[in-house]
Amino acid sequence: MYDKLSSKAVEFIDHEEILASIAWADENKGNRALIESLIERAADYKGLSHREAALLLACEDEELIQKMFALARRIKQHIYGNRIVMFAPLYLSNYCVNSCVYCPYHAKNKTIPRKKLTQEEIAAEVVALQDMGHKRLALEAGEHPILNPLEYILESIKTIYSIKHKNGAIRRVNVNIAATTVENYKKLKDAGIGTYILFQETYNKENYEMLHPRGPKSDYAYHTEAMDRAMEAGIDDVGIGVLYGLETYRYDFVGLLMHAEHLEAKFGCGPHTISVPRICPADDIDTADFKNVISDEIFQKIVAVLRIAVPYTGMIVSTRESAESRAKVLDLGVSQISGGSRTSVGGYTEEERHDETSQFDVSDTRTLDEVVSWLLDLGYIPSFCTACYREGRTGDRFMSLAKSGQIANCCQPNALMTLKEYSEDYASADVRVKIEKLIAAEIERVPHPKIRAKAVENIKKIASGERDFRF
Ligand code: SF4
Ligand code: SF4
């Protein structure tokens, strides 16, 4: 029985409600007036329910799809402007006791070399990441109670925050590790993590159990209820996502939005971010084995409808996607991307080889500087901002500021100040020229005059060597 306030996974992600939502969307997908009324209503930035969003996703009328895309662009521009937040993944260990059939780190894969970074190796990776210009990381580790216990993750976070190399610093560490206990989530919070990220992979319980035949992750309820435990432990910012291609995309799309509605109803704050990975090739993984792989067109539609349905939730795309695909979804709603990523353990300090320790094949293999340059050419502002978490603007405090529109007075100057730092410390000569031109134009778009004046002053101070200003 569907109950979005329930603590039980099978009730807040009710299978029958997902099927009923899809059936309702199918019945109504020819109802032009209804779809148009939803598109009009969603222009108020208040989002849509999972059923309403399922209907937009089912719509096949090209003219209406273009209207949805136009609305998604408008919402993105209104809330996120042309800023794109940058981050990089950092793989700590690929030892894993689980059996996820879509991941090369599964325990039975004997062809992949296993590796776990020591604290010295982590420090070297962090120096390499800082030398690229990164300020925000997403930690990744397989689940292994003996080799990757929570103490190892906590020690690694401490190491990462402690490294100050030249002008570099990692200012926000997001963490993507296996579902755990409230007690452990409290320890992660105390370690100063940014977002706790955990992908559901698929919300279809039966399919989930087939895709995860062994290991602790095979417990659907424990995995699906993880964000409740994280939020109970005081982690305000959680990041959810499914791996498109494992299940029919319509099922997982509805399940994802029901999860977001559950968190909002129960904790007063929905997910901070939604990631939109698609299944892609890797060692021991052939995408031909997955019959639900989605096309670029469907992928773009998913991003656009998510942007409309949950306007204030950041949306993340990784280097699994090609530059071309990333450009399309940036336009339709994605607000955060990784750049210069290595998806192998130790990848930032060693030459990465396709067949070694990568979790997935990277499509976008450009350096961070090349990605920054490309974003600038497309008219975006690459942002290395990490201010909210450091200013205590998390969870509902962040959401209320975002919904009031006041966040633009933080995001815009913070983006420009952190981009100025990038320009001074890491950019190539031609990227620097582009950045200086962009800052001169974009500083005028900081809404509040006093904040604008302060940002101008801070940018001058950055040019003369000071660092780490934020609003
Ligand atoms: Fe392990 Fe995560 Fe890969 Fe599953 S997806 S095998 S839990 S690393
Ligand atoms: Fe993100 Fe906050 Fe920085 Fe805006 S000010 S980019 S919301 S961290």
Side-chain angles (χ1 to χ4, degrees):
M1 180 74 176
Y2 178 45
D3 176 4
K4 71 177 169 185
L5 276 166
S6 171
S7 301
K8 289 192 182 140
V10 290
E11 291 178 359
F12 66 77
I13 307 289
D14 178 55
H15 175 66
E16 296 305 325
E17 171 58 22
I18 296 181
L19 296 184
S21 300
I22 294 171
W24 180 80
D26 279 337
E27 271 164 40
N28 288 288
K29 69 181 178 187
N31 187 340
R32 203 183 164 88
L34 177 58
I35 295 172
E36 278 182 330
S37 73
L38 291 180
I39 296 173
E40 267 166 42
R41 206 191 76 213
D44 66 359
Y45 312 111
K46 293 207 169 89
L48 292 175
S49 71
H50 62 271
R51 278 204 181 198
E52 293 164 338
L55 175 56
L56 295 198
L57 192 67
C59 170
E60 287 161 356
D61 181 308
E62 196 44 44
E63 196 192 325
L64 290 175
I65 293 172
Q66 289 311 318
K67 279 194 179 174
M68 287 177 219
F69 283 10
L71 175 60
R73 286 186 193 103
R74 211 167 106 203
I75 291 173
K76 187 180 175 212
Q77 191 55 39
H78 176 77
I79 299 171
Y80 304 87
N82 49 355
R83 300 172 295 272
I84 304 293
V85 170
M86 309 299 301
F87 77 99
L90 173 56
Y91 283 77
L92 297 181
S93 166
N94 64 0
Y95 285 95
C96 190
V97 294
N98 285 311
S99 56
C100 316
V101 303
Y102 47 84
C103 174
Y105 294 172
H106 67 83
K108 289 210 163 160
N109 185 1
K110 302 292 178 218
T111 65
I112 197 165
R114 300 285 170 171
K115 192 167 175 181
K116 170 188 170 182
L117 299 180
T118 63
Q119 296 306 310
E120 291 67 34
E121 286 168 330
I122 292 170
E125 291 275 295
V126 170
V127 165
L129 282 155
Q130 288 184 7
D131 279 346
M132 290 160 76
H134 278 296
K135 301 282 187 272
R136 178 187 285 247
L137 298 185
L139 283 198
E140 314 274 344
E143 180 169 14
H144 200 298
I146 297 165
L147 288 167
N148 312 332
L150 190 77
E151 291 64 37
Y152 169 68
I153 306 292
L154 296 173
E155 194 187 354
S156 305
I157 295 168
K158 208 167 164 189
T159 300
I160 294 166
Y161 279 134
S162 74
I163 308 290
K164 302 278 182 289
H165 172 67
K166 297 183 182 165
N167 281 334
I170 298 302
R171 298 171 180 160
R172 178 174 178 131
V173 178
N174 298 333
V175 173
N176 181 357
I177 59 163
T180 186
T181 58
V182 173
E183 195 181 302
N184 282 346
Y185 285 127
K186 281 189 182 148
K187 290 181 185 165
L188 284 170
K189 183 181 163 63
D190 292 345
I193 68 161
T195 310
Y196 171 64
I197 304 160
L198 183 69
F199 297 158
Q200 179 62 31
E201 321 298 6
T202 176
Y203 285 95
N204 185 316
K205 184 170 182 288
E206 203 182 313
N207 194 5
Y208 181 96
E209 285 164 357
M210 272 187 328
L211 293 161
H212 307 93
R214 287 169 302 280
K217 194 171 168 181
S218 61
D219 185 337
Y220 175 84
Y222 190 73
H223 188 81
T224 313
E225 293 158 12
M227 292 315 191
D228 291 50
R229 295 193 297 280
M231 286 186 126
E232 272 165 37
I235 297 178
D236 295 327
D237 291 347
V238 298
I240 62 175
V242 295
L243 182 55
Y244 284 104
L246 297 179
E247 170 56 63
T248 63
Y249 70 90
R250 296 177 70 195
Y251 191 103
D252 275 339
F253 177 88
V254 176
L256 182 85
L257 287 177
M258 284 167 70
H259 198 177
E261 286 167 7
H262 162 70
L263 296 174
E264 169 98 45
K266 197 164 166 207
F267 298 98
C269 181
H272 190 63
T273 54
I274 288 179
S275 297
V276 284
R278 283 195 278 183
I279 198 151
C280 73
D283 178 274
D284 201 32
I285 308 297
D286 184 351
T287 48
D289 296 339
F290 296 89
K291 64 179 190 320
N292 293 312
V293 167
I294 57 171
S295 66
D296 289 352
E297 289 68 32
I298 296 293
F299 185 55
Q300 287 151 27
K301 210 165 149 196
I302 288 171
V303 168
V305 184
L306 282 176
R307 183 70 300 138
I308 296 169
V310 282
Y312 294 97
T313 301
M315 222 188 311
I316 303 178
V317 77
S318 76
T319 52
R320 279 173 188 263
E321 295 296 326
S322 65
E324 194 190 4
S325 170
R326 300 218 292 173
K328 290 212 172 100
V329 292
L330 280 170
D331 178 48
L332 292 171
V334 164
S335 55
Q336 264 191 51
I337 64 169
S338 46
S341 302
R342 295 298 173 102
T343 58
S344 55
V345 183
Y348 295 103
T349 48
E350 287 169 5
E351 221 18 72
E352 186 172 30
R353 275 186 40 204
H354 169 83
D355 56 352
E356 287 195 335
T357 65
S358 300
Q359 193 190 29
F360 59 85
D361 291 355
V362 169
S363 283
D364 187 344
T365 55
R366 296 171 296 175
T367 63
L368 179 62
D369 201 56
E370 285 166 343
V371 174
V372 165
S373 178
W374 168 76
L375 286 172
L376 292 164
D377 291 343
L378 291 174
Y380 294 111
I381 309 174
S383 170
F384 294 88
C385 177
T386 55
C388 280
Y389 140 78
R390 297 169 79 219
E391 289 291 316
R393 289 191 299 259
T394 56
D396 53 358
R397 271 153 297 167
F398 166 79
M399 280 298 172
S400 56
L401 198 69
K403 288 178 184 173
S404 72
Q406 288 307 310
I407 196 79
N409 275 313
C410 301
C411 296
Q412 184 78 353
N414 286 339
L416 297 174
M417 293 188 304
T418 55
L419 188 59
K420 176 68 177 171
E421 289 185 339
Y422 178 83
S423 171
E424 292 292 318
D425 294 335
Y426 310 105
S428 58
D430 59 328
V431 170
R432 227 176 146 171
V433 172
K434 290 185 204 176
I435 291 176
E436 296 307 322
K437 207 170 138 201
L438 175 120
I439 289 176
E442 289 288 338
I443 198 75
E444 299 304 323
R445 296 171 71 176
V446 176
H448 197 287
K450 274 195 186 152
I451 295 178
R452 197 185 317 130
K454 187 78 185 150
V456 169
E457 194 186 316
N458 289 347
I459 285 169
K460 282 188 192 143
K461 287 183 182 167
I462 293 168
S464 57
E466 290 185 55
R467 295 289 176 270
D468 202 12
F469 296 99
R470 60 181 181 265
F471 291 99

